[in-house]
Amino acid sequence: MPVVLGLEGSANKVGAGLVRDGAVLSNPRATYVTAPGHGFAPGAAARHHRRRLPGLVAAALREAGLRAADVDAVAFTRGPGMGAPLAVVAAAARTLAQLWDRPLLGVNHCVGHIEMGRLVCGARDPLVLYVSGGNTQVIAFARRRYRILGETLDVAVGNCLDRFARALQISNDPSPGYNIEQLAKKGTKLLELPYVVKGLDVSFSGLLSHIEAVAPQLLASGEATVEDLCFSLQETVFAMLVEVTERAAAQCRSPEVLLVGGVGCNERLQEMLGAMCSARGARLCATDERFCVDNGAMIAQAGWEMLRSGQVTDIARSGVTQRYRTDEVEVTWRD
Ligand code: MG
């Protein structure tokens, strides 16, 4: 019964999680939160992760009631993500693997999200909608790869929400997306915004520049409130995501749709996708913020699958990569 430690830190969250044969034993995490109006720079996020990671590894072991000697392998995020934060976490993973004399497992972050979602929801072969600050992809498994059927042509949906929050000085605590979701609940006016769907792909950059450009005037004249803007933005971008997911679900005849990534814990998106799924007779598999927001256990779980199928990472080939597409990984643990 192998125990895998997973370390994640590809963006502004850093986490250490322990998984043993499908059971999450512990999963502590810390988030680098910046002041309203500010994003996070890679160097500052990396320093945050360096400060927090040793304590998180200790907490993960303590909460699981395990000692270092009980860990059978060390998994870490190789990419995609921001270079400096990735490098800090990879250095920690290589160090622990060598100190403890255990195999190292370099995990694709996107595959981590998918494997965590499959585990938590008990989904066997779902169509996946992966939505976060760095990624927006519609994914289906075929011939040993997670194939990207559709994706954003520019910024990720979470990045669109984050940058909108920054422009409007909405708080980043606990996350910009969470605060937009709460404000949107009080919105009453639906503004027409650019809606860009091309086949199975989506685009958010034009919508983002449009809403950033018109917001000051709409707010100053009283034509719309911050709540109306949040509501309109969410309804528009989520409708785009549901449209491409439905098209892909129809093509794949998927009985299950799995929603993963940080934006996946938005309850309005879950509601909209859930309505689409029930109209199609499909099951929506969604998780809460513990598992859809970046965390160490998802990396441990994908690492556990890799270990089980003999896919171990040579330390000499364990460099991080900011660009690492979901379909580059050979999924040796599924057939
Ligand atoms: Mg992520």
Side-chain angles (χ1 to χ4, degrees):
M1 299 227 299
V3 173
V4 178
L5 170 67
L7 304 182
E8 157 61 26
S10 58
N12 70 330
K13 288 101 184 162
V14 59
L18 284 160
V19 164
R20 179 202 279 138
D21 300 336
V24 177
L25 306 177
S26 58
N27 199 16
R29 166 174 72 200
T31 304
Y32 174 53
V33 176
T34 53
H38 295 269
F40 54 93
R47 285 190 291 280
H48 168 267
H49 294 1
R50 190 181 300 137
R51 266 197 313 276
R52 300 300 301 267
L53 194 52
L56 288 166
V57 172
L61 287 167
R62 193 171 57 241
E63 285 172 31
L66 297 178
R67 293 166 308 124
D70 300 320
V71 175
D72 296 296
V74 180
F76 71 103
T77 305
R78 276 198 71 197
M82 289 179 151
L86 282 172
V88 161
V89 175
R94 288 184 207 107
T95 305
L96 292 177
Q98 289 178 97
L99 272 173
W100 298 344
D101 192 23
R102 292 290 186 267
L104 186 65
L105 307 160
V107 172
N108 177 296
H109 180 87
C110 316
V111 171
H113 275 295
I114 297 169
E115 294 307 339
M116 189 82 239
R118 286 182 61 225
L119 172 69
V120 170
C121 300
R124 214 181 55 80
D125 183 24
L127 178 77
V128 181
L129 175 63
Y130 170 30
V131 279
S132 69
N135 296 280
T136 302
Q137 296 176 345
V138 180
I139 300 160
F141 179 77
R143 287 174 290 118
R144 291 204 142 191
R145 305 257 167 187
Y146 286 115
R147 313 272 169 183
I148 302 167
L149 305 181
E151 61 191 316
T152 179
L153 298 171
D154 38 62
V155 298
V157 63
N159 191 252
C160 175
L161 296 171
D162 293 353
R163 286 159 69 174
F164 169 78
R166 208 182 303 168
L168 270 72
Q169 303 278 320
I170 293 169
S171 168
N172 293 321
D173 187 12
S175 73
Y178 177 82
N179 292 319
I180 289 173
E181 181 180 357
Q182 304 319 311
L183 289 163
K185 287 176 184 167
K186 295 177 220 131
T188 52
K189 189 188 279 184
L190 182 64
L191 304 159
E192 195 173 322
L193 296 171
Y195 182 99
V196 187
V197 167
K198 302 182 182 190
L200 290 170
D201 294 330
V202 287
S203 158
F204 300 107
S205 66
L207 162 61
L208 176 64
S209 11
H210 173 82
I211 198 166
E212 283 179 347
V214 298
Q217 169 63 27
L218 290 170
L219 293 171
S221 67
E223 281 174 78
T225 62
V226 171
E227 289 80 1
D228 294 334
L229 290 171
C230 291
F231 170 64
S232 304
L233 178 62
Q234 274 200 174
E235 293 300 303
T236 307
V237 298
F238 293 168
M240 289 162 59
L241 295 170
V242 172
E243 180 184 332
V244 293
T245 307
E246 177 164 30
R247 192 165 294 133
Q251 285 176 11
C252 300
R253 298 193 184 88
S254 311
E256 293 171 318
V257 174
L258 173 64
L259 175 60
V260 297
V263 181
C265 54
N266 185 300
E267 290 177 359
R268 178 59 184 147
L269 175 58
Q270 292 184 5
E271 184 183 17
M272 289 169 72
L273 265 182
M276 180 275 282
C277 286
S278 62
R280 301 192 53 78
R283 177 169 83 105
L284 174 65
C285 310
T287 62
D288 61 37
E289 55 84 32
R290 289 171 301 163
F291 300 115
C292 66
V293 174
D294 293 349
N295 63 86
M298 69 185 226
I299 302 305
Q301 175 60 18
W304 181 87
E305 295 280 18
M306 289 171 67
L307 182 68
R308 179 168 80 81
S309 63
Q311 198 180 142
V312 168
T313 305
D314 183 344
I315 199 155
R317 293 164 174 268
S318 64
V320 298
T321 166
Q322 287 176 261
R323 296 190 187 280
Y324 188 10
R325 284 175 66 81
T326 314
D327 53 12
E328 284 178 55
V329 178
E330 191 183 356
V331 182
T332 45
W333 54 92
R334 287 186 64 181
D335 41 41

